Amino acid sequence: MERLGTGIGWRPEIADAVERMPGIDWVEAVAENVCPGHLPDSLRRLRERGVTVVPHGVSLGLGGADRPDAGRLTALAERAGALGSPLVTEHIAFVRAGGPLTASPHLEAGHLLPVPRTRDALDVLCENVRIAQDALPVPLAVENIAALIGWPGEEMTEGQFLYELADRTGVRLLIDVANLHTNHVNRGEDPSKALDELPLEAIAYVHVAGGFERDGVWHDSHAHPVPRPVLDILTDLASRVSPPGVLLERDENFPAPAELESELTSIRRSLEAGAVQRVKAELRAAAGTTPGGGGDELFAAAGAGRREAAGGTGGGLLLEAGAARQEGARGVTGGAGTGAIRRGDETGAAEATRGAFGRPHQGDVDGARQRLALAQAALLSALVAGTPVPEGFDRVRIGVQARALAAKRADVVAKVAPELPVILGDGYRTAFLGYAQTHPMTSGYRRDALTFAEYLLSTGRPGDTGARRELREWWLERSGPAPRSRRPAHRLARATRRVLSRR
């Protein structure tokens, strides 16, 4: 796997600052926010300087019951080509439900939701990943997500689920250590145990991000500084394996560039601390010494660890030895170069054949899709349409997740249609959350903004006549197949029709 180094999430709000930051080896851009034919000047300049750009998808829904949409896969492939990317990444999540599989209305979550860690969900996910691998021109890596809620009746831990997925498909893993922390707070899952079970040799790179805790629930906001527990998990991971790349994510509440640079420095120090621990442990194991034995070799190990963290170079034979020990602990057979995970550079049909003997029969996968579709539709409907909470779920946590989805939806609509908060003023958020309670999202955010405006106008809002007129003009400008003409003759004709319609 190509070594990426230290990077930061590229966002338009901090594009200039990212270009000027020292020591940035690569950046990650949200795939859906990049137009292949019109790349932002900042990304183009970074590419010209040799900075790697990785497209990070958020809407494919590989963990959903439906097969991946061909159009979305084509769009992701186009972005990888336009950016010259060595890989693309997505999430182990579902983002929509309903439709033909359930004979129920199509629903969009507008956010990433966890898949159940069951055999049915794993079978569906593996087939969806293989479909994506065949459609993409570069390797795919998938990310573990943060979860506010847990599914009842899960059959595997997160580490076991990810190990099975990587073993059966050869897909690379994007490990988000902030999400491991989120799941520790919200679901009581031990990050160290998850790292014990992960196929660390399959890691493509690592995400680091901040969040906040409220009423005992951790919110993975990507809008706050990275806390110490997340950095500690990063050090733990780096004590086991040298990750090819590490990236700082920040999506909102962007601080001064100096603060972002300080966070990157903390990330590098955490990696260095983990590298020192790993090299010490490997040399002790090779020499048969005890952790308290000391000796000159440990000083050499510390120096090697620091050089590795600073230079981004791999652990060589020591890394292979660590991987072999992990395989032995799991009972995986085969030498250092024969494991299914090792062939991580293959893509498409060749990669998809790995683990083929463990594939379920197609009829079994179709049945799993049907069962998963019903379960996901019931959960998403409870979250966005107010239907009863499915049996076995924590009703309080479902409420927390539902409010978080509505808040996220309001925030994103305000970004894609910034005129709405201006027109509605302080009443925007209250009005939108009221609308969201009875109007689940069934398409994208731009359609959602138009439907919200239609809803307000149909109920005689806003109360201020001038604001209502302005909202109506905004809606008319965007709801037709093409923008309305501003030529005087056309404007006069529209005004005449309005006068005649009142007679």
Side-chain angles (χ1 to χ4, degrees):
M1 183 67 206
E2 177 176 332
R3 298 203 67 81
L4 297 168
T6 304
I8 189 169
W10 183 92
R11 303 293 183 267
E13 296 89 339
I14 56 172
D16 292 341
V18 169
E19 285 190 69
R20 294 192 297 267
M21 281 182 190
I24 296 298
D25 303 308
W26 66 292
V27 298
E28 181 189 76
V30 176
E32 288 79 359
N33 294 344
V34 175
C35 179
H38 300 85
L39 292 179
D41 290 340
S42 174
L43 282 182
R44 185 172 44 77
R45 286 191 294 268
L46 288 169
R47 287 286 301 123
E48 290 170 354
R49 281 167 39 189
V51 175
T52 298
V53 182
V54 174
H56 185 54
V58 297
S59 64
L60 198 53
L62 289 171
D66 290 314
R67 289 175 174 82
D69 179 75
R72 294 181 190 274
L73 285 171
T74 298
L76 191 55
E78 289 173 348
R79 282 148 180 80
L83 294 168
S85 306
L87 77 163
V88 298
T89 58
E90 248 289 353
H91 297 82
I92 302 170
F94 80 100
V95 296
R96 59 188 64 88
L101 276 175
T102 58
S104 63
H106 175 87
L107 297 173
E108 290 279 342
H111 196 53
L112 305 166
L113 294 175
V115 300
R117 298 169 193 157
T118 61
R119 288 291 166 188
D120 273 357
L122 181 62
D123 289 346
V124 171
L125 176 61
C126 286
E127 184 171 81
N128 287 350
V129 164
R130 293 186 189 105
I131 292 170
Q133 288 170 324
D134 285 339
L136 295 170
V138 292
L140 169 69
V142 290
E143 178 182 356
N144 60 303
I145 73 163
L148 287 173
I149 56 177
W151 284 81
E154 292 192 320
E155 300 165 349
M156 287 170 271
T157 64
E158 181 164 45
Q160 292 166 344
F161 192 81
L162 294 176
Y163 185 87
E164 287 270 345
L165 171 65
D167 188 48
R168 287 170 56 174
T169 66
V171 73
R172 288 284 174 169
L173 299 178
L174 193 180
I175 297 300
D176 191 316
V177 293
N179 291 348
L180 293 179
H181 174 67
T182 301
N183 294 345
H184 170 63
V185 177
N186 295 347
R187 302 180 59 173
E189 297 175 352
D190 182 359
S192 182
K193 183 174 185 293
L195 293 177
D196 285 340
E197 296 173 338
L198 285 176
L200 298 176
E201 61 273 26
I203 291 178
Y205 61 89
V206 176
H207 270 174
V208 182
F212 66 95
E213 187 172 352
R214 179 187 296 155
D215 299 328
V217 176
W218 186 266
H219 297 267
D220 181 47
S221 66
H222 293 191
H224 296 78
V226 178
R228 172 48 55 186
V230 172
L231 293 174
D232 289 343
I233 298 172
L234 177 62
T235 297
D236 188 4
L237 185 150
S239 74
R240 303 159 184 261
V241 70
S242 175
V246 179
L247 182 127
L248 172 64
E249 286 189 295
R250 189 71 176 245
D251 294 333
E252 296 181 76
N253 298 335
F254 297 102
E259 186 174 332
L260 291 174
E261 291 175 20
S262 176
E263 289 204 272
L264 287 166
T265 297
S266 297
I267 287 171
R268 293 185 182 101
R269 288 173 178 167
S270 298
L271 287 171
E272 178 180 333
V276 169
Q277 293 176 23
R278 184 178 73 256
V279 176
K280 283 182 178 180
E282 289 171 342
L283 286 178
R284 279 195 296 263
T289 60
T290 62
D296 293 340
E297 72 278 4
L298 297 187
F299 290 102
R306 284 193 294 273
R307 287 193 296 274
E308 177 186 318
T313 57
L317 294 175
L318 294 178
L319 182 57
E320 290 295 323
R325 285 200 306 277
Q326 290 164 4
E327 289 183 352
R330 297 189 192 98
V332 179
T333 59
T338 61
I341 302 299
R342 284 295 191 300
R343 302 179 192 173
D345 294 332
E346 296 175 335
T347 59
E351 185 175 25
T353 59
R354 294 195 286 157
F357 293 108
R359 292 188 188 181
H361 187 273
Q362 185 58 52
D364 295 336
V365 178
D366 291 341
R369 285 190 185 278
Q370 183 73 44
R371 293 186 292 271
L372 184 63
L374 292 170
Q376 290 181 339
L379 174 59
L380 186 52
S381 182
L383 289 169
V384 303
T387 57
V389 177
E391 185 178 355
F393 282 95
D394 184 325
R395 294 176 183 275
V396 174
R397 285 294 176 88
I398 291 292
V400 172
Q401 180 72 83
R403 291 189 293 274
L405 288 177
K408 173 80 172 180
R409 190 174 160 193
D411 291 341
V412 177
V413 167
K415 287 183 178 180
V416 301
E419 302 86 357
L420 293 179
V422 175
I423 295 170
L424 300 174
D426 293 339
Y428 164 76
R429 195 168 188 84
T430 300
F432 189 91
L433 294 178
Y435 151 82
Q437 287 181 346
T438 55
H439 292 74
M441 188 162 64
T442 58
S443 188
Y445 281 110
R446 297 186 189 280
R447 178 69 256 178
D448 200 26
L450 288 171
T451 305
F452 171 51
E454 293 171 13
Y455 164 77
L456 291 180
L457 293 169
S458 68
T459 56
R461 291 184 286 170
D464 179 78
T465 303
R468 188 164 64 252
R469 184 185 304 114
E470 191 175 356
L471 180 63
R472 183 174 182 276
E473 287 297 317
W474 180 89
W475 178 79
L476 288 171
E477 180 70 23
R478 292 159 178 79
S479 60
R484 297 198 304 165
S485 172
R486 295 191 178 276
R487 294 173 59 185
H490 292 178
R491 294 173 64 187
L492 177 61
R494 290 198 298 268
T496 302
R497 284 196 297 270
R498 284 199 298 270
V499 171
L500 292 174
S501 67
R502 294 175 188 146
R503 292 185 176 179

